[in-house]
mmCIF file of all heavy atoms in Angstrom:
data_model
loop_
_atom_site.group_PDB
_atom_site.id
_atom_site.type_symbol
_atom_site.label_atom_id
_atom_site.label_comp_id
_atom_site.label_asym_id
_atom_site.label_seq_id
_atom_site.Cartn_x
_atom_site.Cartn_y
_atom_site.Cartn_z
ATOM 1 N N TYR A 794 8.137 64.565 -34.299
ATOM 2 C CA TYR A 794 8.784 63.287 -34.495
ATOM 3 C C TYR A 794 7.922 62.208 -33.714
ATOM 4 O O TYR A 794 7.819 60.994 -34.233
ATOM 5 C CB TYR A 794 10.201 63.197 -33.999
ATOM 6 C CG TYR A 794 11.237 63.673 -35.042
ATOM 7 C CD1 TYR A 794 12.460 64.027 -34.642
ATOM 8 C CD2 TYR A 794 10.896 63.745 -36.337
ATOM 9 C CE1 TYR A 794 13.487 64.377 -35.587
ATOM 10 C CE2 TYR A 794 11.810 64.154 -37.283
ATOM 11 C CZ TYR A 794 13.084 64.408 -36.958
ATOM 12 O OH TYR A 794 14.052 64.762 -37.873
ATOM 13 N N GLN A 795 7.386 62.553 -32.589
ATOM 14 C CA GLN A 795 6.665 61.456 -31.777
ATOM 15 C C GLN A 795 5.356 61.121 -32.479
ATOM 16 O O GLN A 795 4.919 59.997 -32.433
ATOM 17 C CB GLN A 795 6.481 62.008 -30.434
ATOM 18 C CG GLN A 795 7.631 61.825 -29.485
ATOM 19 C CD GLN A 795 7.320 62.274 -27.982
ATOM 20 O OE1 GLN A 795 6.806 63.292 -27.707
ATOM 21 N NE2 GLN A 795 7.900 61.389 -27.130
ATOM 22 N N GLU A 796 4.870 62.068 -33.180
ATOM 23 C CA GLU A 796 3.634 61.796 -34.020
ATOM 24 C C GLU A 796 3.866 60.739 -34.978
ATOM 25 O O GLU A 796 3.062 59.875 -35.322
ATOM 26 C CB GLU A 796 3.142 63.097 -34.669
ATOM 27 C CG GLU A 796 2.307 64.041 -33.725
ATOM 28 C CD GLU A 796 1.019 63.325 -33.351
ATOM 29 O OE1 GLU A 796 0.243 62.720 -34.213
ATOM 30 O OE2 GLU A 796 0.727 63.455 -32.098
ATOM 31 N N THR A 797 5.104 60.791 -35.585
ATOM 32 C CA THR A 797 5.468 59.899 -36.644
ATOM 33 C C THR A 797 5.932 58.491 -36.075
ATOM 34 O O THR A 797 5.537 57.439 -36.601
ATOM 35 C CB THR A 797 6.581 60.432 -37.544
ATOM 36 O OG1 THR A 797 6.128 61.676 -38.076
ATOM 37 C CG2 THR A 797 7.019 59.505 -38.663
ATOM 38 N N TYR A 798 6.847 58.556 -35.101
ATOM 39 C CA TYR A 798 7.523 57.362 -34.626
ATOM 40 C C TYR A 798 6.893 56.698 -33.354
ATOM 41 O O TYR A 798 7.289 55.546 -33.038
ATOM 42 C CB TYR A 798 9.027 57.601 -34.408
ATOM 43 C CG TYR A 798 9.686 58.042 -35.751
ATOM 44 C CD1 TYR A 798 9.862 59.332 -36.050
ATOM 45 C CD2 TYR A 798 10.005 57.084 -36.600
ATOM 46 C CE1 TYR A 798 10.551 59.663 -37.245
ATOM 47 C CE2 TYR A 798 10.677 57.406 -37.855
ATOM 48 C CZ TYR A 798 10.911 58.712 -38.171
ATOM 49 O OH TYR A 798 11.519 59.036 -39.293
ATOM 50 N N LYS A 799 6.050 57.388 -32.660
ATOM 51 C CA LYS A 799 5.373 56.810 -31.503
ATOM 52 C C LYS A 799 6.467 56.205 -30.534
ATOM 53 O O LYS A 799 6.229 54.959 -30.082
ATOM 54 C CB LYS A 799 4.362 55.710 -31.995
ATOM 55 C CG LYS A 799 3.426 56.131 -33.095
ATOM 56 C CD LYS A 799 2.510 57.351 -32.641
ATOM 57 C CE LYS A 799 1.562 57.672 -33.814
ATOM 58 N NZ LYS A 799 0.793 58.896 -33.561
ATOM 59 N N CYS A 800 7.327 56.993 -30.134
ATOM 60 C CA CYS A 800 8.281 56.426 -29.174
ATOM 61 C C CYS A 800 8.786 57.448 -28.167
ATOM 62 O O CYS A 800 8.372 58.588 -28.162
ATOM 63 C CB CYS A 800 9.526 55.986 -29.966
ATOM 64 S SG CYS A 800 10.390 57.358 -30.863
ATOM 65 N N ALA A 801 9.610 56.878 -27.177
ATOM 66 C CA ALA A 801 10.025 57.858 -26.070
ATOM 67 C C ALA A 801 11.048 58.874 -26.634
ATOM 68 O O ALA A 801 11.696 58.608 -27.700
ATOM 69 C CB ALA A 801 10.727 57.025 -25.014
ATOM 70 N N ALA A 802 11.172 59.966 -26.062
ATOM 71 C CA ALA A 802 12.067 61.056 -26.357
ATOM 72 C C ALA A 802 12.840 61.418 -25.126
ATOM 73 O O ALA A 802 12.475 61.496 -24.038
ATOM 74 C CB ALA A 802 11.300 62.266 -26.949
ATOM 75 N N ILE A 803 14.142 61.734 -25.454
ATOM 76 C CA ILE A 803 15.135 62.255 -24.478
ATOM 77 C C ILE A 803 15.723 63.559 -24.917
ATOM 78 O O ILE A 803 16.259 63.632 -25.963
ATOM 79 C CB ILE A 803 16.296 61.164 -24.194
ATOM 80 C CG1 ILE A 803 15.666 59.811 -23.730
ATOM 81 C CG2 ILE A 803 17.153 61.753 -23.110
ATOM 82 C CD1 ILE A 803 15.407 58.876 -24.898
ATOM 83 N N LEU A 804 15.584 64.558 -24.009
ATOM 84 C CA LEU A 804 16.091 65.939 -24.372
ATOM 85 C C LEU A 804 17.263 66.183 -23.412
ATOM 86 O O LEU A 804 17.088 66.120 -22.117
ATOM 87 C CB LEU A 804 15.085 66.966 -24.242
ATOM 88 C CG LEU A 804 15.476 68.438 -24.560
ATOM 89 C CD1 LEU A 804 14.147 69.185 -24.912
ATOM 90 C CD2 LEU A 804 16.164 69.227 -23.466
ATOM 91 N N VAL A 805 18.501 66.426 -23.927
ATOM 92 C CA VAL A 805 19.562 66.639 -22.953
ATOM 93 C C VAL A 805 20.227 67.962 -23.365
ATOM 94 O O VAL A 805 20.146 68.374 -24.540
ATOM 95 C CB VAL A 805 20.678 65.505 -23.212
ATOM 96 C CG1 VAL A 805 19.979 64.144 -23.049
ATOM 97 C CG2 VAL A 805 21.420 65.609 -24.422
ATOM 98 N N GLY A 806 21.050 68.450 -22.547
ATOM 99 C CA GLY A 806 21.848 69.583 -22.855
ATOM 100 C C GLY A 806 22.145 70.611 -21.669
ATOM 101 O O GLY A 806 21.674 70.419 -20.587
ATOM 102 N N ASP A 807 22.963 71.636 -22.053
ATOM 103 C CA ASP A 807 23.294 72.714 -21.149
ATOM 104 C C ASP A 807 21.989 73.704 -21.351
ATOM 105 O O ASP A 807 22.026 74.459 -22.411
ATOM 106 C CB ASP A 807 24.583 73.314 -21.532
ATOM 107 C CG ASP A 807 24.875 74.579 -20.778
ATOM 108 O OD1 ASP A 807 24.042 75.017 -19.968
ATOM 109 O OD2 ASP A 807 26.022 75.138 -20.878
ATOM 110 N N LEU A 808 21.089 73.700 -20.410
ATOM 111 C CA LEU A 808 19.990 74.492 -20.588
ATOM 112 C C LEU A 808 20.166 75.885 -19.938
ATOM 113 O O LEU A 808 19.246 76.841 -20.106
ATOM 114 C CB LEU A 808 18.718 73.795 -20.044
ATOM 115 C CG LEU A 808 18.429 72.422 -20.566
ATOM 116 C CD1 LEU A 808 17.098 71.943 -19.982
ATOM 117 C CD2 LEU A 808 18.445 72.300 -22.059
ATOM 118 N N ASN A 809 21.275 76.129 -19.272
ATOM 119 C CA ASN A 809 21.549 77.407 -18.665
ATOM 120 C C ASN A 809 20.483 77.859 -17.662
ATOM 121 O O ASN A 809 20.142 79.033 -17.583
ATOM 122 C CB ASN A 809 21.902 78.404 -19.705
ATOM 123 C CG ASN A 809 23.336 78.366 -20.123
ATOM 124 O OD1 ASN A 809 24.308 78.436 -19.261
ATOM 125 N ND2 ASN A 809 23.506 78.434 -21.400
ATOM 126 N N ALA A 810 19.782 76.850 -17.137
ATOM 127 C CA ALA A 810 18.510 77.067 -16.280
ATOM 128 C C ALA A 810 18.624 76.129 -15.151
ATOM 129 O O ALA A 810 18.730 74.919 -15.367
ATOM 130 C CB ALA A 810 17.306 77.009 -17.089
ATOM 131 N N GLU A 811 18.242 76.616 -14.001
ATOM 132 C CA GLU A 811 18.143 75.758 -12.858
ATOM 133 C C GLU A 811 16.764 75.025 -12.835
ATOM 134 O O GLU A 811 15.898 75.336 -13.587
ATOM 135 C CB GLU A 811 18.288 76.463 -11.590
ATOM 136 C CG GLU A 811 19.768 77.150 -11.452
ATOM 137 C CD GLU A 811 19.827 77.878 -10.084
ATOM 138 O OE1 GLU A 811 18.969 78.108 -9.393
ATOM 139 O OE2 GLU A 811 21.068 78.325 -9.873
ATOM 140 N N TYR A 812 16.677 74.065 -11.898
ATOM 141 C CA TYR A 812 15.496 73.214 -11.888
ATOM 142 C C TYR A 812 14.190 73.977 -11.746
ATOM 143 O O TYR A 812 13.264 73.787 -12.370
ATOM 144 C CB TYR A 812 15.628 72.268 -10.687
ATOM 145 C CG TYR A 812 14.591 71.202 -10.594
ATOM 146 C CD1 TYR A 812 14.568 70.063 -11.400
ATOM 147 C CD2 TYR A 812 13.513 71.283 -9.632
ATOM 148 C CE1 TYR A 812 13.592 69.104 -11.265
ATOM 149 C CE2 TYR A 812 12.556 70.268 -9.545
ATOM 150 C CZ TYR A 812 12.564 69.239 -10.400
ATOM 151 O OH TYR A 812 11.577 68.269 -10.214
ATOM 152 N N LYS A 813 14.274 75.057 -10.872
ATOM 153 C CA LYS A 813 12.976 75.877 -10.654
ATOM 154 C C LYS A 813 13.026 77.081 -11.469
ATOM 155 O O LYS A 813 13.029 78.217 -10.924
ATOM 156 C CB LYS A 813 12.900 76.147 -9.127
ATOM 157 C CG LYS A 813 12.709 74.958 -8.275
ATOM 158 C CD LYS A 813 12.613 75.263 -6.792
ATOM 159 C CE LYS A 813 12.425 74.191 -5.939
ATOM 160 N NZ LYS A 813 12.349 74.473 -4.466
ATOM 161 N N SER A 814 13.063 76.834 -12.799
ATOM 162 C CA SER A 814 13.082 77.898 -13.655
ATOM 163 C C SER A 814 11.845 77.954 -14.566
ATOM 164 O O SER A 814 11.230 76.848 -14.829
ATOM 165 C CB SER A 814 14.374 77.976 -14.614
ATOM 166 O OG SER A 814 14.282 76.753 -15.347
ATOM 167 N N ILE A 815 11.562 79.004 -15.275
ATOM 168 C CA ILE A 815 10.294 78.973 -16.089
ATOM 169 C C ILE A 815 10.486 78.045 -17.407
ATOM 170 O O ILE A 815 9.559 77.454 -17.799
ATOM 171 C CB ILE A 815 9.820 80.359 -16.519
ATOM 172 C CG1 ILE A 815 10.893 81.042 -17.432
ATOM 173 C CG2 ILE A 815 9.540 81.221 -15.269
ATOM 174 C CD1 ILE A 815 10.403 82.338 -17.995
ATOM 175 N N GLY A 816 11.715 77.855 -17.779
ATOM 176 C CA GLY A 816 11.980 76.981 -18.828
ATOM 177 C C GLY A 816 11.656 75.525 -18.463
ATOM 178 O O GLY A 816 10.953 74.836 -19.278
ATOM 179 N N LEU A 817 12.181 75.077 -17.413
ATOM 180 C CA LEU A 817 11.981 73.727 -16.930
ATOM 181 C C LEU A 817 10.558 73.556 -16.531
ATOM 182 O O LEU A 817 9.917 72.416 -16.875
ATOM 183 C CB LEU A 817 12.895 73.253 -15.846
ATOM 184 C CG LEU A 817 14.231 72.535 -16.405
ATOM 185 C CD1 LEU A 817 15.122 73.495 -17.147
ATOM 186 C CD2 LEU A 817 14.852 71.836 -15.204
ATOM 187 N N GLU A 818 9.879 74.460 -15.910
ATOM 188 C CA GLU A 818 8.514 74.395 -15.565
ATOM 189 C C GLU A 818 7.587 74.203 -16.855
ATOM 190 O O GLU A 818 6.747 73.437 -16.879
ATOM 191 C CB GLU A 818 8.007 75.691 -14.939
ATOM 192 C CG GLU A 818 8.511 75.804 -13.515
ATOM 193 C CD GLU A 818 8.195 77.092 -12.847
ATOM 194 O OE1 GLU A 818 7.512 77.914 -13.505
ATOM 195 O OE2 GLU A 818 8.419 77.339 -11.600
ATOM 196 N N TYR A 819 7.977 74.874 -17.981
ATOM 197 C CA TYR A 819 7.287 74.739 -19.176
ATOM 198 C C TYR A 819 7.493 73.272 -19.764
ATOM 199 O O TYR A 819 6.548 72.660 -20.200
ATOM 200 C CB TYR A 819 7.826 75.769 -20.196
ATOM 201 C CG TYR A 819 7.432 75.308 -21.620
ATOM 202 C CD1 TYR A 819 6.198 75.625 -22.086
ATOM 203 C CD2 TYR A 819 8.403 74.867 -22.476
ATOM 204 C CE1 TYR A 819 5.808 75.327 -23.421
ATOM 205 C CE2 TYR A 819 8.004 74.563 -23.875
ATOM 206 C CZ TYR A 819 6.699 74.806 -24.241
ATOM 207 O OH TYR A 819 6.368 74.493 -25.505
ATOM 208 N N ALA A 820 8.671 72.745 -19.658
ATOM 209 C CA ALA A 820 8.961 71.461 -20.083
ATOM 210 C C ALA A 820 8.127 70.419 -19.321
ATOM 211 O O ALA A 820 7.547 69.383 -19.938
ATOM 212 C CB ALA A 820 10.443 71.112 -20.048
ATOM 213 N N PHE A 821 8.047 70.573 -17.918
ATOM 214 C CA PHE A 821 7.269 69.694 -17.169
ATOM 215 C C PHE A 821 5.716 69.724 -17.601
ATOM 216 O O PHE A 821 5.027 68.763 -17.608
ATOM 217 C CB PHE A 821 7.374 70.088 -15.714
ATOM 218 C CG PHE A 821 8.832 69.832 -15.220
ATOM 219 C CD1 PHE A 821 9.380 70.617 -14.199
ATOM 220 C CD2 PHE A 821 9.703 68.899 -15.862
ATOM 221 C CE1 PHE A 821 10.691 70.545 -13.854
ATOM 222 C CE2 PHE A 821 10.931 68.739 -15.400
ATOM 223 C CZ PHE A 821 11.479 69.537 -14.334
ATOM 224 N N GLU A 822 5.305 71.070 -17.855
ATOM 225 C CA GLU A 822 3.964 71.186 -18.270
ATOM 226 C C GLU A 822 3.614 70.507 -19.600
ATOM 227 O O GLU A 822 2.471 70.026 -19.854
ATOM 228 C CB GLU A 822 3.507 72.645 -18.412
ATOM 229 C CG GLU A 822 3.591 73.425 -17.057
ATOM 230 C CD GLU A 822 3.455 74.932 -17.276
ATOM 231 O OE1 GLU A 822 3.547 75.326 -18.486
ATOM 232 O OE2 GLU A 822 3.354 75.606 -16.271
ATOM 233 N N GLU A 823 4.657 70.339 -20.430
ATOM 234 C CA GLU A 823 4.482 69.634 -21.735
ATOM 235 C C GLU A 823 4.719 68.108 -21.579
ATOM 236 O O GLU A 823 4.711 67.412 -22.679
ATOM 237 C CB GLU A 823 5.528 70.267 -22.758
ATOM 238 C CG GLU A 823 5.229 71.704 -23.148
ATOM 239 C CD GLU A 823 3.986 71.790 -23.883
ATOM 240 O OE1 GLU A 823 3.671 70.982 -24.727
ATOM 241 O OE2 GLU A 823 3.185 72.677 -23.521
ATOM 242 N N GLY A 824 4.695 67.755 -20.357
ATOM 243 C CA GLY A 824 4.813 66.168 -20.184
ATOM 244 C C GLY A 824 6.191 65.578 -20.043
ATOM 245 O O GLY A 824 6.261 64.330 -19.886
ATOM 246 N N PHE A 825 7.223 66.428 -19.887
ATOM 247 C CA PHE A 825 8.573 65.878 -19.652
ATOM 248 C C PHE A 825 8.850 65.717 -18.216
ATOM 249 O O PHE A 825 8.259 66.440 -17.342
ATOM 250 C CB PHE A 825 9.637 66.790 -20.275
ATOM 251 C CG PHE A 825 9.775 66.714 -21.749
ATOM 252 C CD1 PHE A 825 8.780 67.309 -22.571
ATOM 253 C CD2 PHE A 825 10.734 66.005 -22.364
ATOM 254 C CE1 PHE A 825 8.897 67.223 -23.985
ATOM 255 C CE2 PHE A 825 10.825 65.846 -23.781
ATOM 256 C CZ PHE A 825 9.829 66.462 -24.582
ATOM 257 N N LYS A 826 9.664 64.677 -17.966
ATOM 258 C CA LYS A 826 10.125 64.370 -16.550
ATOM 259 C C LYS A 826 11.497 64.431 -16.497
ATOM 260 O O LYS A 826 12.266 64.043 -17.395
ATOM 261 C CB LYS A 826 9.492 63.056 -16.112
ATOM 262 C CG LYS A 826 7.997 62.958 -16.084
ATOM 263 C CD LYS A 826 7.457 61.656 -15.581
ATOM 264 C CE LYS A 826 5.973 61.634 -15.559
ATOM 265 N NZ LYS A 826 5.417 60.270 -15.213
ATOM 266 N N HIS A 827 12.027 64.850 -15.357
ATOM 267 C CA HIS A 827 13.471 64.954 -15.169
ATOM 268 C C HIS A 827 14.074 63.631 -14.810
ATOM 269 O O HIS A 827 13.450 62.881 -13.991
ATOM 270 C CB HIS A 827 13.888 65.982 -14.005
ATOM 271 C CG HIS A 827 15.263 66.568 -14.220
ATOM 272 N ND1 HIS A 827 16.407 65.732 -13.999
ATOM 273 C CD2 HIS A 827 15.644 67.769 -14.587
ATOM 274 C CE1 HIS A 827 17.445 66.471 -14.134
ATOM 275 N NE2 HIS A 827 17.071 67.761 -14.498
ATOM 276 N N GLY A 828 15.227 63.283 -15.416
ATOM 277 C CA GLY A 828 15.781 62.014 -15.095
ATOM 278 C C GLY A 828 16.096 61.826 -13.682
ATOM 279 O O GLY A 828 16.019 60.687 -13.156
ATOM 280 N N HIS A 829 16.516 62.969 -12.979
ATOM 281 C CA HIS A 829 16.706 62.926 -11.509
ATOM 282 C C HIS A 829 15.511 62.434 -10.714
ATOM 283 O O HIS A 829 15.579 61.763 -9.763
ATOM 284 C CB HIS A 829 17.098 64.302 -11.141
ATOM 285 C CG HIS A 829 17.086 64.497 -9.663
ATOM 286 N ND1 HIS A 829 15.964 64.790 -8.872
ATOM 287 C CD2 HIS A 829 18.154 64.434 -8.681
ATOM 288 C CE1 HIS A 829 16.211 64.916 -7.616
ATOM 289 N NE2 HIS A 829 17.604 64.668 -7.538
ATOM 290 N N ASP A 830 14.283 62.848 -11.233
ATOM 291 C CA ASP A 830 13.046 62.570 -10.578
ATOM 292 C C ASP A 830 12.510 61.169 -10.732
ATOM 293 O O ASP A 830 11.654 60.740 -9.900
ATOM 294 C CB ASP A 830 12.021 63.541 -10.924
ATOM 295 C CG ASP A 830 12.399 65.072 -10.593
ATOM 296 O OD1 ASP A 830 13.365 65.135 -9.689
ATOM 297 O OD2 ASP A 830 11.898 65.973 -11.192
ATOM 298 N N ILE A 831 12.936 60.542 -11.871
ATOM 299 C CA ILE A 831 12.235 59.182 -12.162
ATOM 300 C C ILE A 831 13.209 58.065 -12.152
ATOM 301 O O ILE A 831 12.838 56.895 -12.314
ATOM 302 C CB ILE A 831 11.505 59.329 -13.480
ATOM 303 C CG1 ILE A 831 12.430 59.570 -14.563
ATOM 304 C CG2 ILE A 831 10.405 60.250 -13.408
ATOM 305 C CD1 ILE A 831 11.868 59.586 -15.961
ATOM 306 N N ALA A 832 14.479 58.266 -11.853
ATOM 307 C CA ALA A 832 15.529 57.197 -11.741
ATOM 308 C C ALA A 832 15.200 56.327 -10.651
ATOM 309 O O ALA A 832 14.866 56.841 -9.500
ATOM 310 C CB ALA A 832 16.903 57.696 -11.644
ATOM 311 N N VAL A 833 15.170 54.997 -10.747
ATOM 312 C CA VAL A 833 14.757 54.160 -9.708
ATOM 313 C C VAL A 833 15.781 53.380 -8.942
ATOM 314 O O VAL A 833 15.622 52.922 -7.797
ATOM 315 C CB VAL A 833 13.830 53.088 -10.218
ATOM 316 C CG1 VAL A 833 12.540 53.702 -10.810
ATOM 317 C CG2 VAL A 833 14.515 52.222 -11.370
ATOM 318 N N ASP A 834 17.126 53.339 -9.455
ATOM 319 C CA ASP A 834 18.198 52.733 -8.834
ATOM 320 C C ASP A 834 19.234 53.601 -8.113
ATOM 321 O O ASP A 834 19.649 53.371 -7.038
ATOM 322 C CB ASP A 834 18.966 51.837 -9.824
ATOM 323 C CG ASP A 834 18.104 50.621 -10.277
ATOM 324 O OD1 ASP A 834 17.192 50.231 -9.572
ATOM 325 O OD2 ASP A 834 18.361 50.129 -11.440
ATOM 326 N N TYR A 835 19.530 54.717 -8.792
ATOM 327 C CA TYR A 835 20.479 55.665 -8.204
ATOM 328 C C TYR A 835 20.272 57.096 -8.734
ATOM 329 O O TYR A 835 20.003 57.268 -9.904
ATOM 330 C CB TYR A 835 21.860 55.176 -8.637
ATOM 331 C CG TYR A 835 22.978 56.190 -8.187
ATOM 332 C CD1 TYR A 835 23.421 56.134 -6.902
ATOM 333 C CD2 TYR A 835 23.415 57.204 -9.019
ATOM 334 C CE1 TYR A 835 24.476 56.985 -6.474
ATOM 335 C CE2 TYR A 835 24.468 58.125 -8.559
ATOM 336 C CZ TYR A 835 24.969 58.044 -7.281
ATOM 337 O OH TYR A 835 25.919 58.850 -6.874
ATOM 338 N N VAL A 836 20.354 58.052 -7.857
ATOM 339 C CA VAL A 836 20.151 59.437 -8.095
ATOM 340 C C VAL A 836 21.268 60.315 -7.553
ATOM 341 O O VAL A 836 21.596 60.211 -6.327
ATOM 342 C CB VAL A 836 18.780 59.959 -7.499
ATOM 343 C CG1 VAL A 836 18.726 61.535 -7.800
ATOM 344 C CG2 VAL A 836 17.624 59.207 -8.249
ATOM 345 N N ASP A 837 21.861 61.097 -8.453
ATOM 346 C CA ASP A 837 23.031 61.971 -8.085
ATOM 347 C C ASP A 837 22.421 63.342 -7.618
ATOM 348 O O ASP A 837 21.577 63.838 -8.325
ATOM 349 C CB ASP A 837 23.956 62.141 -9.170
ATOM 350 C CG ASP A 837 25.360 62.757 -8.799
ATOM 351 O OD1 ASP A 837 25.297 63.819 -8.135
ATOM 352 O OD2 ASP A 837 26.277 62.328 -9.193
#
Side-chain angles (χ1 to χ4, degrees):
Y794 272 165
Q795 283 184 313
E796 281 293 316
T797 301
Y798 295 100
K799 313 297 182 186
C800 62
I803 302 91
L804 185 157
V805 312
D807 177 357
L808 306 189
N809 277 310
E811 295 183 353
Y812 186 77
K813 295 180 180 179
S814 62
I815 63 171
L817 266 71
E818 287 177 359
Y819 166 75
F821 298 149
E822 290 170 0
E823 291 297 311
F825 283 78
K826 296 180 180 179
H827 203 292
H829 168 277
D830 297 339
I831 60 175
V833 296
D834 292 335
Y835 177 82
V836 175
D837 191 314

